[in-house]
Amino acid sequence: MSVEDLLAGLNPQQREAVQCTEGPLLVLAGAGSGKTRVLTHRVAWLIGACGIAPESILAVTFTNKAAGEMRGRVEKLLGPAAREVWLSTFHSSCARILRRDIPHLERRRDFAIYDDADSLATAKQVLKSRNLPAGNPEARRLRWQIDQWKNAGLRPEDAAERARDFEAEQSAELYGGYQRLLVRANALDFGDLLLCTTLLFRQHPQVLEHYRERWQYILVDEYQDTNHVQYQLVNLLAGEHRNLCVVGDPDQSIYAWRGANIRNILHFERDYNEARVVKLEQNYRSTQHILSGAGAVVANNTGRPDKQMVAVRGDGEKISLYEARDDRDEARFVVKRILALQREEQRAGGDFAVFYRTNAQSRPIEEELLRCNLPYVVVGGVRFYERAEVKDALAYLRLLVNRADNQALRRIIGRPARGIGRASLDRAQTLADQRGLSLFEGLRLLAGAGGRSAAPIRGFIELMESLARDAAQGSPADGLSLLLDRSGYLHALRKESTPDAEARHENLRELIASAEDFAETDAGANGADGRSAIGRFLDQVALVSDIDNANLRSESVSLMTVHSAKGLEFPVVFLAGLEEDLFPHKASSYDEDKIAEERRLCYVGMTRAMERLTLTYAQERRRFGSHTYAVPSRFLAEIPAEFLAAQSPGQRLTHAHDRSYAHDPADSDYDQTPPPPPGEPPDAVRPGSRVRHPLYGPGEVLEATGHGPRQKLRIRFDRFGVKKIVVRYANLQFG
DNA sequence: TCCAATGTGCTTTTT
DNA sequence: GCACATTGGA
């Protein structure tokens, strides 16, 4: 492939982002602007045109899917040389670094990686050991706090130092206890992977130097979602040579609640004052109406760099809006629309996606899809690797490679039941605590002391030792089969002989199959770390649990939360449940920053749509079992009417009389043809005058500030209560 | 140690 | 309304 080919099909801004290889570069890549294209071509350009060695390039993404996609596309451009590029997620990069260099921090290389459930269980253990309430809420709160600290780059002693009140002091102390438990279990949680790597770099400059020399060019994707440790990590690595390219879109920052700091991208030019900035403002995905509608929503946020996204695909259809009577009516409408579009436009099921704010909303839509025999996939929800039986099998495997893995041991000791109960476990834990040993060693001591539980414990220890002899060095798939058999797990499952047990058995077979798949791609891959195949399999499972987005392109309609939709695109998108307290979510409604994030989330959802976008909301919705009345989301009012299609009577599912209790027929904008274009707004609207809003209907102006189109009004709507409205966006009718 | 009955509390969740 | 976790009894 020639050097010119590496630039083929790129627009001038994209070319600039690809060719500007030296020094810091910020690429502000709006939704659908070809961000992945730029990243992959940039990597290819560095290697193919600048002669940079592939192994000198580090490219980090947030998801394995993004990393895999990038790798595939770079390989397509360059061939096998692309394999030498270090291209992975933040977390797996850190895991790989630590597998090599964590001994500098006095820790062992063969650490286990704890998932959320393990961390939560550990948090409970700390609370219990301090005789504090150790229920779910308390443990989750502690977990969250520890996570925040880790994301901020703080160790327990740092947290303690900053504590200003008793509660913070106590939490910091608990953080320390939690950390000691992790060390004793020879385990790292997700946050540790990042935090330990930054500590490693700070405390051991020669290690940092090694990686700095190795990675002369660094690329970071989704920079708007980086948290503080990730920010530190990137700066440590790139601070010297400053060949750092970050790509992102401040308007798509939707993970602040998990510690992401939008200021990392907003302040990039301050951090690297010689930085070049390239804005990608051509959108190749959506039509202009969709783009402008979404842009108008997010424009209500303050403190964002302005950008003007332009669609290369033309205006397209306007955004549709549907007011449903309740959540079931909403589901019926969505499914009916899908069926109609399949018929009229010969669309495949895979062209459609339904997004919602919360997972609970999928249910009525699923029911309706089921009723109409439309195949669908729910993305997210209960993940494969989180199924109890899959976690059980993996816990056996974990205990096999790391005897100190206390959470794994606690999980499987009673599965199947083998006569070792709470009492024995508590005694073993006490013995272990006294001597600073692992729970496994505690059990060994307890068995040695005789007593009723000695025999079953000995049996369990022998089981683990026999498995260690016969399975630990083999393939992960063989190991799984053997341990499921010898532990009696399969036997117990078969004995149940319920459909549910059969399903669990099936999941275990699937797990073994995935272990076999792993072995095929694993051969020779990073084998230098001296770990067993099982150890590598467990890493992959812990860090790559984002399994099969494979079905997305099939015949099935996709259902997912707006968060999961990030990075995806679909020809036809439905965004459901646009109601106050749902989207924006109630928990966000008291905080402007949180509302701003909800707004960005809405922007992300809308900009996934390529050709058609439909927004729906319900007047009434079942929540937590009871009915609640809903008010349309403020985000709907933020979309200028010029981008919205009026509802045509033909699209109605419910009859007018079904809804008459809520709508005065005289002011129904939805059942009738579109209202005549509004007259020019008067120069200044006075309090007391009557207005009509396309969404909220008639109302009375209470208060007015400013002049002309920029004027802000406070209006009491006859049906929806008091709202603040900006005249320019509201498409009000006066008079 | 196990089971059933009762209680509770519910956003999002790249890794 | 439902999933779960904890509790109390056998």
Side-chain angles (χ1 to χ4, degrees), chain A residues 241-263:
Chain A
H241 55 62
R242 300 171 93 75
N243 293 326
L244 171 64
C245 167
V246 303
V247 183
D249 179 2
D251 287 336
Q252 293 186 66
S253 162
I254 55 173
Y255 283 102
W257 55 277
R258 288 187 92 206
N261 189 348
I262 192 173
R263 286 183 291 279

Side-chain angles (χ1 to χ4, degrees), chain A residues 4 39 142 144 187 215 261 344 437 439 531 538 704:
Chain A
E4 256 316 299
L39 277 168
L142 176 61
W144 183 84
W215 291 317
N261 189 348
E344 291 160 17
L437 296 170
L439 185 55
R531 309 195 69 229
L538 288 173

Side-chain angles (χ1 to χ4, degrees), chain A residues 565-588:
Chain A
K566 191 171 149 194
L568 302 176
E569 60 180 26
F570 295 88
V572 184
V573 166
F574 296 86
L575 189 49
L578 277 156
E579 294 140 40
E580 284 294 302
D581 291 346
L582 185 59
F583 198 2
H585 198 272
K586 193 174 177 103
S588 300

Side-chain angles (χ1 to χ4, degrees), chain A residues 322-323 325 329 619 649 651-666 668 670-672:
Chain A
Y322 178 75
E323 179 185 61
R325 205 165 53 130
D329 180 39
Q619 297 170 340
Q651 287 175 2
R652 294 232 59 91
L653 284 172
T654 48
H655 299 290
H657 67 259
D658 283 334
R659 313 166 52 249
S660 52
Y661 68 92
H663 260 266
D664 176 358
S668 174
Y670 302 107
D671 291 271
Q672 309 300 320

Side-chain angles (χ1 to χ4, degrees), chain A residues 389-449:
Chain A
E389 61 280 9
V390 173
K391 291 201 74 170
D392 289 343
L394 290 171
Y396 271 103
L397 223 46
R398 280 167 49 182
L399 192 60
L400 217 50
V401 294
N402 177 17
R403 269 325 139 62
D405 192 329
N406 291 342
Q407 294 310 336
L409 175 55
R410 280 175 176 280
R411 180 162 193 107
I412 56 158
I413 190 88
R415 298 175 197 219
R418 45 170 68 89
I420 307 171
R422 264 238 347 235
S424 308
L425 218 51
D426 282 350
R427 283 169 66 196
Q429 184 70 60
T430 312
L431 284 171
D433 287 347
Q434 283 163 1
R435 283 162 240 249
L437 296 170
S438 67
L439 185 55
F440 193 85
E441 293 307 319
L443 277 172
R444 213 193 279 277
L445 289 173
L446 189 62

Side-chain angles (χ1 to χ4, degrees), chain A residues 301-559:
Chain A
N301 282 347
T302 54
R304 55 184 280 280
D306 198 41
K307 61 172 184 278
Q308 275 313 314
M309 296 299 293
V310 178
V312 302
R313 306 182 51 160
D315 282 351
E317 304 280 330
K318 291 194 173 180
I319 300 169
S320 323
L321 194 62
Y322 178 75
E323 179 185 61
R325 205 165 53 130
D326 54 28
D327 43 1
R328 293 186 54 208
D329 180 39
E330 180 179 56
R332 278 198 300 274
F333 169 77
V334 168
V335 173
K336 207 165 178 176
R337 270 308 275 159
I338 291 174
L339 287 168
L341 284 170
Q342 283 193 329
R343 214 172 38 241
E344 291 160 17
E345 301 181 358
Q346 280 78 46
R347 290 182 182 277
D351 284 359
F352 300 91
V354 187
F355 303 152
Y356 33 77
R357 177 69 238 267
T358 65
N359 277 311
Q361 288 167 257
S362 75
R363 185 169 230 150
I365 300 164
E366 284 186 69
E367 280 167 5
E368 188 61 19
L369 285 164
L370 228 40
R371 206 178 61 80
C372 296
N373 285 321
L374 264 174
Y376 67 91
V377 280
V378 182
V379 178
V382 196
R383 300 158 129 82
F384 180 70
Y385 286 106
E386 277 166 25
R387 308 254 163 94
E389 61 280 9
V390 173
K391 291 201 74 170
D392 289 343
L394 290 171
Y396 271 103
L397 223 46
R398 280 167 49 182
L399 192 60
L400 217 50
V401 294
N402 177 17
R403 269 325 139 62
D405 192 329
N406 291 342
Q407 294 310 336
L409 175 55
R410 280 175 176 280
R411 180 162 193 107
I412 56 158
I413 190 88
R415 298 175 197 219
R418 45 170 68 89
I420 307 171
R422 264 238 347 235
S424 308
L425 218 51
D426 282 350
R427 283 169 66 196
Q429 184 70 60
T430 312
L431 284 171
D433 287 347
Q434 283 163 1
R435 283 162 240 249
L437 296 170
S438 67
L439 185 55
F440 193 85
E441 293 307 319
L443 277 172
R444 213 193 279 277
L445 289 173
L446 189 62
R452 197 156 29 132
S453 60
I457 294 178
R458 245 182 248 126
F460 177 73
I461 291 173
E462 272 161 31
L463 167 69
M464 289 318 293
E465 280 171 354
S466 91
L467 286 172
R469 248 191 333 272
D470 302 334
Q473 291 311 313
S475 80
D478 291 347
L480 281 169
S481 311
L482 200 67
L483 71 84
L484 286 171
D485 183 43
R486 278 198 196 163
S487 64
Y489 196 97
L490 271 192
H491 182 76
L493 206 55
R494 284 209 195 90
K495 229 171 51 189
E496 265 187 63
S497 68
T498 58
D500 182 54
E502 185 39 50
R504 278 181 280 152
H505 194 172
E506 185 49 48
N507 284 333
L508 289 172
R509 276 194 285 264
E510 205 178 309
L511 175 67
I512 292 172
S514 82
E516 276 163 0
D517 287 348
F518 167 80
E520 273 173 34
T521 51
D522 177 56
N526 60 323
D529 56 10
R531 309 195 69 229
S532 66
I534 291 181
R536 289 197 299 275
F537 175 64
L538 288 173
D539 272 13
Q540 142 127 355
V541 168
L543 300 173
V544 187
S545 40
D546 170 65
I547 35 161
D548 57 323
N549 300 286
N551 308 344
L552 284 193
R553 285 262 157 232
S554 69
E555 288 305 295
S556 304
V557 176
S558 299
L559 270 55

